[in-house]
């Protein structure tokens, strides 16, 4: 129930491997011509890179420092830049994510690397608290957002939400999504479970052309706190950090990249697109949180709601709790929305991030090389560290 919108699936592994692996036997799948042997692939790639970059191509190398299923670290040939490539915010408990995270930063410290590229391309999101842990891990000494790894969120209220909040209080359930104690307020203070004032009756806002009540800006209590305990071997400054994406960085990934951009002024680079056309965001569907059918029913059971199947003709139209239905079809419920950082030009009450366009600081259009081998965008992005 701490998953966000679209957690990555196992099939995403191939996307990551093709994105960063420079071994010709892996890249052959991306070459836009019929090539049946690695030697010919290598020659084709070598000629393409040299044609595009000239003599500079000899210096464009990728040294793999750490590699796991979803997280890898690379050193560029400038001997300054560490690249962290993460293609999922749901790497799995046995993926070795946290040891690899520490190992990657340790390698950077040992090699004296001072600049960081965070490549979140093809990251569809995953676990909200893993994303907030990464924020706390990165936002160390002298980062503007240090100590705050969360953003303002709201729960859309309804008769069902009202009933669930009251049930959480009545049965002293503090761990459900509708429990007051599940959340902290904007001062990062945990809310007492019998204090419904932050959730009910809510604050009226017109969104999507409709007037509706919303909670008073809350965020999950303690979510991401391990990031404050984990110590990176090297702290990269916001000025020496770049976020690079191909525009597909969704949900928790968008939460992380938007947070670093809005709270810490980290520069963002989006790749791809068509020159002269509409500007691109560096992130997609920021969301907040939704629940699929089964996690939703689990929450309802936790709050002692009746979800038993009822034949259609016996459904009580006044019943606010959804019942199990005789279908294998899945569906999602919207739980929370996240908002931009409250500032004079972005006051509370503005559109949720879902409806707020976040243009990238810089836009890299693909060339003949980067359209096939996206890792070369890391070298293209180096110019922006000094801008």
């Amino acid at each position: 129930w701490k998953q966000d919108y679209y957690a990555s699936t196992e099939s995403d592994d191939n996307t990551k491997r093709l994105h960063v692996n420079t071994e010709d036997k892996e890249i052959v799948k991306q070459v836009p011509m019929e090539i049946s042997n690695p030697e010919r692939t290598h020659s084709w790639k070598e000629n393409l890179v040299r044609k595009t970059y000239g003599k500079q191509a000899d210096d464009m190398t990728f040294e793999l420092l750490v590699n796991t299923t979803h997280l890898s670290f690379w050193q560029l040939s400038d001997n300054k830049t560490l690249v962290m490539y993460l293609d999922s915010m749901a790497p799995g408990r046995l993926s070795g994510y946290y040891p690899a995270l520490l190992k990657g930063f340790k390698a950077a410290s040992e090699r004296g690397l001072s600049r960081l590229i965070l490549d979140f391309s093809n990251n569809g999101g995953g676990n909200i608290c893993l994303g907030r842990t990464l924020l706390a891990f990165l936002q160390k000494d002298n980062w503007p957002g240090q100590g705050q790894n969360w953003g303002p969120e709201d729960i859309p209220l309804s008769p069902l939400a009202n009933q669930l909040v009251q049930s959480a209080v009545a049965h002293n359930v503090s761990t459900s999504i509708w429990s007051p104690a599940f959340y902290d307020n904007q001062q990062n203070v945990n809310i007492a479970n019998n204090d419904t004032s932050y959730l009910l009756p809510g604050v009226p806002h017109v969104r999507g052309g409709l007037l509706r009540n919303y909670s008073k800006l809350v965020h999950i209590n303690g979510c991401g706190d391990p990031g404050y305990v984990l110590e990176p071997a090297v702290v990269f400054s916001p000025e020496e950090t770049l976020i690079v994406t191909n525009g597909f960085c969704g949900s928790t990934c968008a939460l992380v990249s938007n947070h670093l951009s809005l709270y810490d002024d980290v520069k963002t680079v989006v790749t791809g697109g068509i020159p002269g056309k509409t500007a691109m965001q560096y992130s997609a569907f920021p969301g907040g949180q939704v629940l699929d059918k089964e996690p939703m029913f689990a929450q309802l059971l936790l709050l002692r709601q009746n979800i038993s199947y009822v034949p259609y003709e016996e459904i009580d139209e006044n019943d606010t709790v959804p019942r199990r239905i005789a279908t294998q079809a899945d569906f999602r419920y919207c739980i929370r929305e996240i908002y931009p950082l409250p500032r004079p030009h972005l006051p509370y009450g503005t559109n949720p991030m879902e409806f707020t366009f976040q243009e990238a600081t810089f836009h890299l259009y693909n060339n003949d090389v980067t359209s096939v081998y996206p890792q070369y965008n890391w070298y293209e992005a180096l110019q922006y560290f000094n801008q």
Side-chain angles (χ1 to χ4, degrees):
W1 41 260
K2 289 185 180 178
Q3 299 299 313
D4 59 16
Y5 267 0
Y6 306 102
S8 300
T9 62
E10 289 303 314
S11 62
D12 288 337
D13 292 351
N14 292 330
T15 303
K16 177 253 187 177
R17 188 163 57 248
L18 293 179
H19 181 88
V20 298
N21 200 322
T22 57
E23 294 182 12
D24 297 326
K25 62 182 180 181
E26 298 291 350
I27 294 176
V28 67
K29 298 176 182 178
Q30 293 194 64
V31 178
M33 58 189 296
E34 292 186 5
I35 296 177
S36 59
N37 65 76
E39 290 185 6
R40 189 175 175 188
T41 305
H42 180 75
S43 175
W44 185 88
K45 173 195 169 187
E46 208 172 47
N47 290 336
L48 180 64
V49 174
R50 188 169 296 279
K51 177 183 177 181
T52 304
Y53 294 109
K55 292 182 179 180
Q56 184 185 356
D58 295 333
D59 297 324
M60 302 173 82
T61 60
F62 307 87
E63 183 179 356
L64 180 62
L65 304 179
V66 179
N67 192 29
T68 65
T69 307
H70 294 283
L71 173 65
S72 58
F73 287 90
W74 304 77
Q75 178 177 332
L76 301 188
S77 59
D78 64 350
N79 293 320
K80 296 179 181 179
T81 306
L82 176 73
V83 178
M84 172 180 164
Y85 179 76
L86 180 63
D87 74 347
S88 174
M89 294 294 177
R93 294 182 180 179
L94 301 179
S95 68
Y97 169 79
Y98 284 111
L101 181 65
L102 293 172
K103 190 175 179 181
F105 277 71
K106 182 179 179 182
S109 176
E110 293 171 346
R111 292 162 176 255
L113 306 183
S114 59
R115 305 196 298 198
L116 175 65
I117 291 178
L118 299 169
D119 191 335
F120 293 144
S121 298
N122 300 320
N123 190 318
N127 188 288
I128 297 168
C129 294
L130 184 140
R132 284 176 51 180
T133 295
L134 179 58
L135 286 171
F137 180 78
L138 293 170
Q139 294 175 301
K140 298 297 184 182
D141 300 337
N142 300 317
W143 278 60
Q146 184 180 7
Q148 182 175 346
N149 67 341
W150 47 270
E153 298 181 46
D154 263 345
I155 302 173
L157 298 177
S158 65
L160 173 61
N162 292 351
Q163 181 170 319
L164 297 179
V165 171
Q166 297 293 357
S167 182
V169 174
H171 299 292
N172 196 27
V173 176
S174 61
T175 56
S176 82
I177 288 176
W178 288 274
S179 302
F182 188 69
Y183 296 104
D184 292 346
N185 61 22
Q186 277 295 96
Q187 288 69 48
N188 209 30
V189 176
N190 188 221
I191 301 168
N193 203 51
N194 61 356
D195 182 1
T196 63
S197 63
Y198 286 91
L199 305 183
L200 302 176
V203 179
H205 293 286
V206 176
R207 289 174 183 146
L210 298 175
L211 180 65
R212 185 177 185 177
N213 279 19
Y214 294 78
S215 60
K216 296 180 181 178
L217 296 182
V218 294
H219 57 275
I220 301 175
N221 172 46
C223 180
D225 284 357
Y228 295 117
V229 178
L230 297 173
E231 287 295 334
V234 57
V235 176
F236 296 95
S237 70
E239 295 77 21
E240 296 298 320
T241 302
L242 287 177
I243 295 171
V244 175
T245 83
N246 59 0
F248 185 75
C249 166
S251 211
T252 292
C253 179
L255 181 152
V256 172
S257 58
N258 285 333
H259 192 101
L260 292 174
S261 174
L262 292 172
Y263 286 73
D264 299 295
D265 298 319
V266 172
K267 290 174 284 191
T268 58
V269 182
V270 68
T271 66
I274 302 174
K277 298 295 183 179
T278 305
M280 286 177 62
Q281 291 194 135
Y282 53 86
S283 63
F285 50 94
Q289 188 179 15
V290 300
L291 284 183
D292 289 341
K293 178 179 63 178
E294 291 307 319
M296 176 68 177
F297 284 140
Q299 288 281 305
L300 296 179
L301 286 175
L302 178 64
L303 293 170
R304 304 185 187 185
Q305 303 298 302
N306 182 5
I307 61 172
S308 59
Y309 170 74
V310 177
Y312 179 77
E313 59 274 10
E314 298 179 19
I315 292 177
D316 182 355
E317 62 181 19
N318 296 315
D319 193 352
T320 60
V321 179
R323 301 294 190 98
R324 290 194 179 277
I325 54 179
T327 179
Q328 293 182 342
D330 207 350
F331 46 88
R332 286 186 164 126
Y333 295 85
C334 176
I335 305 302
R336 285 192 310 279
E337 301 172 332
I338 189 166
Y339 298 85
L341 169 67
R343 289 177 176 173
H345 64 291
L346 289 175
Y348 173 52
T350 189
N351 282 341
M353 292 298 295
E354 192 77 51
F355 306 106
T356 304
F357 185 78
Q358 292 294 125
E359 184 176 353
T361 316
F362 304 105
H363 196 155
L364 278 176
Y365 297 101
N366 283 327
N367 57 35
D368 290 345
V369 173
T370 58
S371 61
V372 182
Y373 305 105
Q375 63 268 29
Y376 283 88
N377 278 315
W378 300 340
Y379 279 99
E380 294 277 358
L382 293 181
Q383 60 184 303
Y384 300 128
F385 277 112
N386 299 318
Q387 295 186 27

